[in-house]
Amino acid sequence: MAKTMIELKNADLTLGQAAASVHVLKGMDLVIDAGESVGIVGPSGSGKSTLLMVLAGLERLDSGEIVIDGTPLHGLSEDRVAEFRGRNIGIVFQSFHLIPNMTALENVAVPLELANVRDAFEIARQELISVGLGERLSHYPGQLSGGEQQRVAIARALAPSPKLLIADEPTGNLDGETGKQVADLIFSKQAERDMTLVLVTHDTALAARCSRQVRVRSGEIVSGSGHEPSVSASLSKVASA
Ligand SMILES: Nc1ncnc2c1ncn2[C@@H]1O[C@H](COP(=O)(O)OP(=O)(O)OP(=O)(O)O)[C@@H](O)[C@H]1O
Ligand SMILES: [Mg+2]
């Protein structure tokens, strides 16, 4: 049986204060095995990005449990969660989130250095070469195309060799062809490194490339939670009835 990478149990979260408060996650259950690729889909405002933030330990639940690779994040202090995230989780955002006054190489290397990784600059250089940016190491984000900036962000996410890669609309700011190339890169890295991938997308073609789709509506998972009986289990029930 495959190892469980993500287990979310009865996850509940309200964001904002008073009149502006929104019940964003309404008792979500979700199980994702190691090595799966999962596409989270659903309408705007349904809670997809918030769900990713919880999986990344960037947002805390009000109640419920979030266990990543056997570690209960809900039971850890903020510092320990940050440390866990740095070692185990890579994150890619729609708008790249690169530091404008750092070169491509520095954007990838500096987080490694801050985590006391030895040979940070050499690891960063190799990672940028592996995403096809060996000729752009000294470029600043403003000197790179959107697709190239997203490749830098992917190299930065992959540099610590995370077990889990989380991406929120990773192709959302790119044209169709560039988006496809970035998606190809993400899926090839996932296969090569045997990572678990969870991505949010509005692009049905991109979602269809994932091994499973999880559908979210108004803060609830309406299908694909991993808790439904599998087709084969249902069939065997029917057969034995
Ligand atoms: N800090 C906050 N305070 C109050 N409400 C918030 C906060 N963050 C998010 N929300 C609300 O929670 C809901 C879910 O937001 P979220 O960003 O998770 O949606 P989404 O599914 O990612 O949408 P989109 O597809 O547009 O990116 C939205 O209605 C949003 O307005
Ligand atoms: Mg979103």
Side-chain angles (χ1 to χ4, degrees), residues 1-122:
M1 222 174 85
K3 195 170 143 219
T4 300
M5 178 57 62
I6 297 173
E7 195 164 12
L8 194 64
K9 276 192 201 158
N10 205 12
D12 217 273
L13 179 61
T14 295
L15 291 172
Q17 307 290 320
S21 82
V22 178
H23 193 183
V24 189
L25 306 185
K26 301 171 182 164
M28 282 188 178
D29 291 314
L30 178 63
V31 178
I32 296 176
D33 287 339
E36 270 197 276
S37 57
V38 173
I40 298 182
V41 298
S44 181
S46 57
K48 306 179 299 294
S49 295
T50 307
L51 170 60
L52 283 195
M53 291 303 97
V54 167
L55 301 184
L58 286 165
E59 196 75 70
R60 265 179 186 283
L61 293 174
D62 293 332
S63 63
E65 297 180 11
I66 167 71
V67 182
I68 305 285
D69 198 28
T71 300
L73 299 191
H74 55 275
L76 298 183
S77 68
E78 297 272 337
D79 285 355
R80 296 289 304 282
V81 171
E83 194 188 323
F84 180 87
R85 183 171 52 246
R87 286 178 202 279
N88 298 291
I89 305 174
I91 309 172
V92 175
F93 299 95
Q94 176 174 359
S95 51
F96 323 134
H97 288 208
L98 298 175
I99 297 172
N101 59 356
M102 284 191 190
T103 63
L105 185 64
E106 289 164 346
N107 264 283
V108 181
V110 168
L112 294 175
E113 276 204 315
L114 292 175
N116 294 318
V117 173
R118 281 180 53 198
D119 304 323
F121 276 81
E122 182 50 27

Side-chain angles (χ1 to χ4, degrees), residues 102-106 128-129 131-141 143-145 148-149 151-152:
M102 284 191 190
T103 63
L105 185 64
E106 289 164 346
L128 283 162
I129 291 170
V131 299
L133 290 179
E135 308 296 314
R136 297 286 186 277
L137 302 180
S138 317
H139 281 56
Y140 289 90
Q143 300 171 318
L144 296 170
S145 72
E148 288 169 341
Q149 289 184 58
R151 283 170 188 273
V152 175

Side-chain angles (χ1 to χ4, degrees), residues 48-49 168-169 200:
K48 306 179 299 294
S49 295
D168 195 350
E169 306 257 18
V200 163

